[in-house]
Amino acid sequence: MSFDRTLKIAPSILSADFANFGAECEAIEAQGADWVHVDVMDGQFVPNITFGPATCAAIRPHIRGIMDVHLMITPVDPFVDAFAQAGADVITAHVEAGPHIHRTLQAIRGAGAKAGVALNPGTPASAVEYLLDMVDLVCVMTVNPGFGGQKFIHSQIDKVRQLRAMIGDRPVHIEIDGGVDPVTAPLVAQAGADVLVAGSAVFRGGSVGQPQVYGDNIKAIRAAATGTYV
Ligand code: DX5
Ligand code: ZN
């Protein structure tokens, strides 16, 4: 997994057909997805439950590219190895998920995965200041985690700008998660984000039987986001 800052679209399978994850992952990759974003929720850190490492392992053979696992769980550390063994390329933990995020990030890299740190909307950019040399990705939540289809929180754009300046030349991605669509994508791309997670805006209107809709949705987000650079 080499580093570059070209814009990447990471559809979240939280908005996919849960009975058909394998085919859904294959469909979004065939339709232009760069990464596949996998939302793990425990009903404790967030008020919703999705699935765990066994499902990630089952999905893995259906993803050719990057499997980007977003852990919305607490505690994190006892499960890091299981998600790494399930084939996660990136494992992202929340800075709010426990008292020892530094140790958690060490454990993620120690397990052989890329390490991501996520910030809830109420958490300032400064929370990751002393973590930037030990992460591969900072995820800025632009909704409160737990559910797809929520409204983008505009105050987070300034946080993205701050993080971009803090990161400087470090090979660290800035990922945006929540409420990304063709209207909000250019706002965060312009502020310095390079990985855009999108659930409802990618899966809306499509299915494994109508996968070209996914492709059109991905293209619309990418065009809107990259158009800001011209
Ligand atoms: C929210 C999840 C997101 C979510 C995004 O807790 O982490 O990945 O699926 O969904 P949309 O794009 O619909 O806001
Ligand atoms: Zn997510």
Side-chain angles (χ1 to χ4, degrees):
M1 185 180 163
S2 62
F3 182 86
D4 69 68
R5 257 185 227 294
T6 56
L7 190 92
K8 287 162 274 294
I9 309 290
S12 163
I13 59 167
L14 187 61
S15 294
D17 175 1
F18 271 43
N20 217 357
F21 275 146
E24 291 275 40
C25 289
E26 289 169 13
I28 52 177
E29 283 197 328
Q31 294 294 326
D34 299 292
W35 293 8
V36 176
H37 186 82
V38 179
D39 285 309
V40 176
M41 304 185 187
D42 67 350
Q44 186 175 356
F45 181 68
V46 289
N48 194 9
I49 298 176
T50 54
F51 46 77
T55 304
C56 292
I59 294 169
R60 177 72 263 189
H62 300 275
I63 299 173
R64 298 159 73 110
I66 301 298
M67 181 159 114
D68 175 34
V69 175
H70 178 193
L71 298 181
M72 287 160 277
I73 66 172
T74 185
V76 177
D77 297 14
F79 303 102
V80 165
D81 285 344
F83 284 104
Q85 277 159 26
D89 295 290
V90 182
I91 299 177
T92 296
H94 271 259
V95 77
E96 308 87 1
H100 300 296
I101 184 67
H102 189 284
R103 177 183 290 145
T104 301
L105 295 168
Q106 283 178 324
I108 293 171
R109 280 196 168 170
K114 299 285 186 190
V117 63
L119 297 172
N120 279 338
T123 304
S126 59
V128 299
E129 185 177 354
Y130 295 98
L131 304 173
L132 292 176
D133 288 320
M134 59 187 307
V135 296
D136 303 284
L137 176 149
V138 178
C139 173
V140 177
M141 293 304 303
T142 40
V143 298
N144 284 297
F147 303 95
Q150 302 181 81
K151 212 169 148 3
F152 181 89
I153 301 172
H154 281 77
S155 60
Q156 303 306 300
I157 297 168
D158 182 56
K159 191 192 291 183
V160 176
R161 223 174 272 123
Q162 286 180 41
L163 284 165
R164 185 66 198 88
M166 287 164 65
I167 286 168
D169 291 335
R170 294 178 180 89
V172 176
H173 298 289
I174 298 181
E175 178 177 75
I176 304 300
D177 192 357
V180 172
D181 62 21
V183 174
T184 56
L187 307 176
V188 286
Q190 204 161 39
D194 64 306
V195 183
L196 306 186
V197 175
S200 40
V202 167
F203 285 92
R204 183 178 298 137
S207 66
V208 292
Q210 297 278 333
Q212 67 284 359
V213 176
Y214 299 160
D216 293 343
N217 291 341
I218 291 169
K219 277 194 207 95
I221 298 168
R222 198 190 304 279
T226 54
T228 61
Y229 289 117
V230 294

